[in-house]
Amino acid sequence: MGTLLIRPPGHRRDVALRPAATAMVWIGEGHPHEMIAVPGVALGDRDALVAVEMSTICGSDVHTVQGRRSAPTPLVLGHESVGRVIALGDAGALAVDGTPLRIGDRVVWSVTVSCGTCDRCLAGLTQKCRSLGKYGHDRIGAHGDLTGAFGSHVQLREGTAIARVPETLPASVLAPAACATATAWAAVARARRSLDGATVRIHGAGLVGLSAAAIAAEQGALVEVRDPNPQRQALAAAFGATTLDRDPEVVIEASGHAVAEAIDGVAVGGVVVLVGSVFPAEPVPLDAESIVRRLITIAGVHNYTGAELAETVAFLSGRGRAYPFADAVGEIRPLGELDEALAVASAPGAPLRIGLVPG
């Protein structure tokens, strides 16, 4: 196990960690992860240091190690996590609801770090900030070493949306909240219409698609989920899915593999929300005349806002308890077995999520 400590420039407060924090560093395709020791961090004025309770492996983590998406190295992957605040910068940090965070708060946090002042942030597109940072996607160095969820701790920088979460909710529900569930919430919201009595079709029974099904069902929609994998398809009923007897008014494409089918199948005047196309794929032919004549709206969703993260936590804490979100984590492994866990996550028949716990 190596040792690495980088102090970013500017006003910082050194916080020693005893025992040292650990992080799993990925150095590139074909190489195993290396566990490093981080004996301390340099907290910015409004940073927070979180001890990880559980992290989960997202599909994008698998795509990265398989070479299907580019990423700077060395890198600490992982962006789905729940943990507890153990240190704060000199000026403190705020939760997304505007209240001060306190030592001991159990929290989840956004995958993105935003400046809050650029034109995109001011327009509400914080997830596309001009100076965007992303946990589990940024090379270690300028912002320290604890920059991804696949470690014992994560250093949360100013500009991160941080949401308190209930002590009573399982970590297996909360860890994916800041990626899969919040992205699903944003996708449903992107339809921009009342779903009470509406028909919704979702392509893809991964965790984003199943979460979107439960969210839409709780908003009064009749929901259908389609997935070529019979095991995944069978999960849909537990998340509120049924069958439709007419064309859907809203279609959410959450797989990245059924874009043309999603557009072709939506009703006249309907909305298609594309959320699954987050990896390179063949271009999809576009029948512009059909879209025009059918009055179709096509929208894209990538990540989410801080407000949508807070709404996601409220859903999981309330009516979302009726759905088996905890069952999505089908296996839990120690952090040191990350490479083995990634192999399982990429295999046929893998559970929706694999959990990782420090230890």
Side-chain angles (χ1 to χ4, degrees), residues 26-33 64-67 339:
W26 185 67
I27 59 174
E29 185 181 359
H31 297 277
H33 281 77
T64 299
V65 298
Q66 290 180 338
D339 288 312

Side-chain angles (χ1 to χ4, degrees), residues 145-211:
D145 308 315
L146 303 177
T147 56
F150 296 158
S152 63
H153 296 71
V154 180
Q155 183 172 346
L156 303 184
R157 311 197 307 268
E158 181 179 2
T160 303
I162 306 171
R164 291 187 188 83
V165 294
E167 297 288 343
T168 54
L169 274 182
S172 54
V173 172
L174 292 169
C179 182
T181 325
T183 299
W185 185 275
V188 174
R190 195 70 168 86
R192 291 182 177 167
R193 62 170 64 191
S194 171
L195 294 186
D196 190 17
T199 50
V200 176
R201 176 178 295 151
I202 297 170
H203 290 276
L207 191 51
V208 172
L210 294 174
S211 299

Side-chain angles (χ1 to χ4, degrees), residues 206-235:
L207 191 51
V208 172
L210 294 174
S211 299
I215 293 164
E218 279 303 310
Q219 294 183 17
L222 298 173
V223 183
E224 176 182 86
V225 176
R226 292 184 174 184
D227 195 294
N229 183 323
Q231 292 176 307
R232 292 287 178 90
Q233 180 72 56
L235 296 173

Side-chain angles (χ1 to χ4, degrees), residues 51-55 81-84 106 152 169-171 174 356-358:
V52 171
E53 180 180 350
M54 177 187 285
S55 298
S81 195
V82 58
R84 199 171 297 277
R106 192 179 187 220
S152 63
L169 274 182
L174 292 169
L356 297 165
V357 293

Side-chain angles (χ1 to χ4, degrees), residues 44 84 96 98 160 163 173 178 249 259 272 297 341:
R84 199 171 297 277
V96 71
T160 303
V173 172
E249 297 153 286
V259 174
V272 178
T297 299

